[in-house]
Amino acid sequence: MTIDETKNLWFISDTHFNHAKLVISCPEHFDQHRIYETTEEMNADIIEKWNKFIGKDDTVIFVGDYGLNIPASQIVEHFTNTMNQLNGNKIFICGNHDKLIRKKTEGIIQWHNQIRFTYKGKNYCVQHYDFAEKPTEVDDVDVLVHGHTHSSNTISRVDTGHGSKIQNCVCWEAWYRPVNYIELQNKEN
């Protein structure tokens, strides 16, 4: 995959649009909570925060888990309407909650399980799952990026079989905003 290096690069994951449990909080799954009266209020705030950081021409890698509790008959309309409100040229990675959305939007957008690319001299590997949960060969990778992990921890280490590497979690719950490529850690030890 090729990423235009003249464009600013952002990562975002686990927006969970329409997820009612996040409105009322769900402490058994999330260590931070969204405090809203309605899912509509939450959805509007996610869109506002996304667009506050991401410009219209920026590149955004969406690292999965778009939303939940969207009736199957409304998925395409909800997804399309929401994505049209969000800035950036989007690349989609399928999360564990995106299987039905992926199926319903097949032919409209391209979904990936994982992507690899070089951006500003660094090799990236991006997937929804933590690299300890879904191991992959990453010896030639400088920057590991994942979503899925609902925690305030933004970095952790993963054993690659040849040492360990830092992996970056860009889950919306961890950051509550998009993450710019400059913020990602890529040190090895």
Side-chain angles (χ1 to χ4, degrees), residues 6-21:
T6 66
K7 307 293 183 186
N8 202 2
L9 178 62
W10 295 88
F11 299 86
I12 191 165
S13 176
D14 295 79
T15 50
H16 286 248
F17 283 101
N18 249 48
H19 191 172
K21 283 187 177 181

Side-chain angles (χ1 to χ4, degrees), residues 28-110:
E28 64 273 13
H29 290 98
F30 308 101
D31 70 353
Q32 294 181 16
H33 309 292
R34 300 174 178 174
I35 309 299
Y36 300 103
E37 296 293 321
T38 66
T39 55
E40 292 79 15
E41 180 187 356
M42 178 182 71
N43 293 348
D45 192 46
I46 293 169
I47 292 167
E48 180 182 329
K49 282 187 173 74
W50 177 305
N51 290 337
K52 175 181 173 184
F53 291 95
I54 298 170
K56 292 191 183 302
D57 292 328
D58 291 350
T59 299
V60 182
I61 299 177
F62 184 81
V63 192
D65 282 1
Y66 163 76
L68 287 102
N69 305 323
I70 304 164
S73 63
Q74 297 172 18
I75 284 177
V76 173
E77 179 182 6
H78 190 284
F79 182 82
T80 304
N81 288 342
T82 302
M83 286 302 143
N84 286 338
Q85 294 177 64
L86 296 169
N87 288 341
N89 301 304
K90 300 160 205 77
I91 299 167
F92 295 96
I93 294 176
C94 190
N96 57 302
H97 295 297
D98 294 327
K99 290 174 181 68
L100 185 57
I101 293 170
R102 183 181 192 165
K103 181 179 177 182
K104 294 274 189 178
T105 60
E106 190 174 351
I108 298 171
I109 63 164
Q110 181 179 9

Side-chain angles (χ1 to χ4, degrees), residues 74-180:
Q74 297 172 18
I75 284 177
V76 173
E77 179 182 6
H78 190 284
F79 182 82
T80 304
N81 288 342
T82 302
M83 286 302 143
N84 286 338
Q85 294 177 64
L86 296 169
N87 288 341
N89 301 304
K90 300 160 205 77
I91 299 167
F92 295 96
I93 294 176
C94 190
N96 57 302
H97 295 297
D98 294 327
K99 290 174 181 68
L100 185 57
I101 293 170
R102 183 181 192 165
K103 181 179 177 182
K104 294 274 189 178
T105 60
E106 190 174 351
I108 298 171
I109 63 164
Q110 181 179 9
W111 290 87
H112 305 273
N113 292 321
Q114 180 188 88
I115 59 171
R116 290 172 183 255
F117 59 91
T118 301
Y119 182 80
K120 302 209 184 252
K122 300 214 181 284
N123 295 318
Y124 288 75
C125 183
V126 184
Q127 65 185 31
H128 180 65
Y129 293 97
D130 179 308
F131 287 85
E133 188 176 350
K134 283 248 184 179
T136 188
E137 176 58 48
V138 292
D139 286 341
D140 63 338
V141 175
D142 300 309
V143 184
L144 302 174
V145 181
H146 72 90
H148 187 58
T149 307
H150 297 274
S151 161
S152 57
N153 295 330
T154 56
I155 61 170
S156 62
R157 290 204 163 270
V158 62
D159 183 8
T160 67
H162 299 95
S164 70
K165 290 192 177 203
I166 289 176
Q167 59 178 348
N168 296 269
C169 179
V170 295
C171 186
W172 188 265
E173 287 302 315
W175 297 81
Y176 204 57
R177 63 178 175 76
V179 179
N180 189 269

